[in-house]
Structures are given as structure tokens and as C-alpha cells.
Amino acid sequence: MSEEDRKRRQKASLDELIIELVSERGADKTVCPSEVARAKRDENWQQLMGEIRVRAVKLADAGQIAIYRNGKPVDPHDFKGVYRLGLPGTQ
């Protein structure tokens, strides 16, 4: 990734960044929430994990992304543990 792309991603909102990364990954692939956090911030990215979860639930409610656990879509309001983000209906 170019330095320009990295800076652009750091300035993007979390919603924009989640949608961008999920779209880039494409169908049948998912993104780890930590990838979103690292794309947004080089240091202390762990502090973003709670907000990324909140934003992911909002985007899933809007039908823009899906939240997956063990390769299957989950209810955005009723999932625990490790999860991944992807395009709706791709897994």
C-alpha cells in the first residue's frame, strides 16, 4: 500500500474504512476487525476494537456488511467471541 493510501485510510471514518476493506476483499472473503483497526491507526490500534464492533453492528443492521462467526452470518445483536466482517451473503 502506498503512503498516500495509508494516510487516506487513517483520515477515513471507521464506517468508510470497514466498507472499503470488506469491498476490497470481495465475495467469499472476510476481514478481521483488527485489520480495520491497524489500517486506521499504526499505534494503539487495540483501543479502536470496541468502536469497530459498534460500527460493524450498525453497518450490518443497514445491510451494508455482514458479521460472520465460524464462516456463518450471525445476528449482529447476538454474537460473542471472534468474528469477521464481509459482504452480505458471501459466506
Side-chain angles (χ1 to χ4, degrees):
M1 173 182 359
S2 73
E3 183 65 20
E4 185 177 306
D5 283 340
R6 188 180 67 77
K7 286 182 181 179
R8 181 186 50 76
R9 284 182 172 176
Q10 288 176 340
K11 290 180 183 177
S13 72
L14 283 176
D15 289 7
E16 293 168 335
L17 191 53
I18 291 168
I19 291 169
E20 178 181 342
L21 293 176
V22 165
S23 297
E24 280 179 4
R25 193 64 48 99
D28 299 325
K29 305 263 178 157
T30 58
V31 173
C32 181
S34 67
E35 292 177 68
V36 178
R38 288 181 178 114
K40 180 73 174 163
R41 187 185 292 170
D42 290 330
E43 295 180 15
N44 300 317
W45 57 266
Q46 299 91 334
Q47 296 171 352
L48 294 173
M49 296 302 288
E51 183 61 22
I52 289 169
R53 186 181 181 105
V54 169
R55 304 315 302 161
V57 168
K58 178 190 147 291
L59 292 170
D61 281 343
Q64 294 181 281
I65 68 163
I67 298 173
Y68 294 91
R69 181 152 164 71
N70 297 321
K72 295 181 174 74
V74 296
D75 178 344
H77 299 281
D78 187 30
F79 69 98
K80 295 178 182 171
V82 176
Y83 66 99
R84 294 186 64 87
L85 309 172
L87 295 171
T90 60
Q91 290 283 313

